[in-house]
C-alpha cells in the first residue's frame, strides 16, 4: 500500500470507532475489543500477508479516539496465541483478568497485536475479556470477547482498506416477564400497585 492508502486506513478506522462510541456510549471504564487482519485490509486472505505498517496506522486511528473518550482497548491476537488479548497491565489488574505468557509477533499473534504490544505503556496478555463493544476488521471473530448481550452495529463505513468491518455493542440482559420495567418510571399516582409477594 502506498502512503496515501495508509493514511486513509487511519482515518477510516477512526471514523468507525467514533460512530461506535456514540451508539455504545463508550467512555472511561468501558472496554472495546479490536480484532484486525492486516492481510484483509491489504486485500489478501487473512493470515497470508500481515503488515506492521498497516497495523501501525490502525493503532494510530484507534488510539486517537481512545484518548479523546477515555475508554480502554484490548487488541485480539490470532489463533496461534489462542485469541489472547493485548491490554495495559492496569486494565488487566483492574478487571481481574487472567494473564497469559507470550509476546505477540506478526507470525504468532498477528501484526495488530504485535504493534499494540510495542505501543502500550505496560503491555501484557489477557486470556479473555468481556468487552462492552468491539470492532472486527477482516472477520477475525471477536464475538468470544464481548459481554452478553451483543447488539450488532452496522457502521456507515463498511470497509477499512479492503477488509469488511463488523461491530457490536452490548447491553445488560433483560430479565423478568410481563411486569418487568426496563427504564425508570415517573411517579404515577394512578398506577395500581402490583407488589411482588
Amino acid at each position: 500500500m502506498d502512503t496515501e492508502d495508509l493514511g486513509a486506513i487511519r482515518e477510516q478506522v477512526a471514523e468507525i470507532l467514533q460512530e461506535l462510541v456514540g451508539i455504545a456510549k463508550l467512555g472511561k471504564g468501558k472496554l472495546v475489543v479490536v480484532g484486525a487482519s492486516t492481510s484483509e485490509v491489504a486485500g489478501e486472505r487473512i493470515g497470508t500477508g500481515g503488515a506492521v505498517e498497516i497495523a501501525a496506522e490502525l493503532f494510530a486511528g484507534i488510539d486517537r479516539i481512545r484518548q479523546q473518550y477515555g475508554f480502554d482497548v484490548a487488541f485480539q491476537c490470532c489463533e496461534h496465541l489462542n485469541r489472547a488479548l493485548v491490554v495495559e497491565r492496569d486494565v488487566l489488574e483492574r478487571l481481574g483478568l487472567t494473564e497469559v505468557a507470550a509476546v505477540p509477533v506478526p507470525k504468532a499473534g498477528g501484526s495488530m497485536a504485535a504493534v499494540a504490544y510495542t505501543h502500550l505503556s505496560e503491555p501484557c496478555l489477557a486470556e479473555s475479556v468481556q468487552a462492552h463493544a468491539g470492532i472486527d476488521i477482516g472477520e477475525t471473530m471477536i464475538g468470544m470477547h464481548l459481554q452478553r448481550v451483543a447488539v450488532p452495529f452496522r457502521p456507515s463505513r463498511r470497509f477499512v482498506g479492503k477488509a469488511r468491518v463488523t461491530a457490536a455493542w452490548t447491553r445488560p440482559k433483560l430479565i423478568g416477564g410481563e411486569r418487568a420495567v426496563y427504564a425508570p418510571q415517573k411517579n404515577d399516582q394512578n398506577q395500581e400497585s402490583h407488589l411482588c409477594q
Side-chain angles (χ1 to χ4, degrees), residues 174-182:
L174 302 178
I175 62 169
E178 62 184 38
R179 294 189 200 181
V181 175
Y182 300 110

Side-chain angles (χ1 to χ4, degrees), residues 44-145:
E44 304 294 329
R45 196 180 87 246
I46 191 168
T48 63
V52 294
E53 300 83 9
I54 292 172
E57 292 299 321
L58 292 170
F59 184 89
I62 292 163
D63 198 53
R64 185 174 81 215
I65 304 301
R66 181 202 61 78
Q67 288 181 36
Q68 186 177 348
Y69 291 94
F71 54 82
D72 296 306
V73 181
F75 294 90
Q76 180 180 267
C77 296
C78 73
E79 71 275 10
H80 296 102
L81 293 185
N82 297 331
R83 301 209 186 282
L85 302 112
V86 179
V87 295
E88 290 282 10
R89 180 158 299 283
D90 70 324
V91 172
L92 179 108
E93 292 172 357
R94 187 178 75 239
L95 298 178
L97 303 173
T98 300
E99 185 174 3
V100 291
V103 174
V105 295
K107 295 288 186 193
S111 295
M112 185 75 254
V115 165
Y117 198 89
T118 63
H119 282 75
L120 298 184
S121 300
E122 195 176 349
C124 59
L125 288 189
E127 184 174 30
S128 64
V129 300
Q130 293 293 295
H132 299 95
I135 295 178
D136 189 327
I137 303 166
E139 300 173 328
T140 64
M141 308 299 283
I142 63 165
M144 65 192 290
H145 295 302

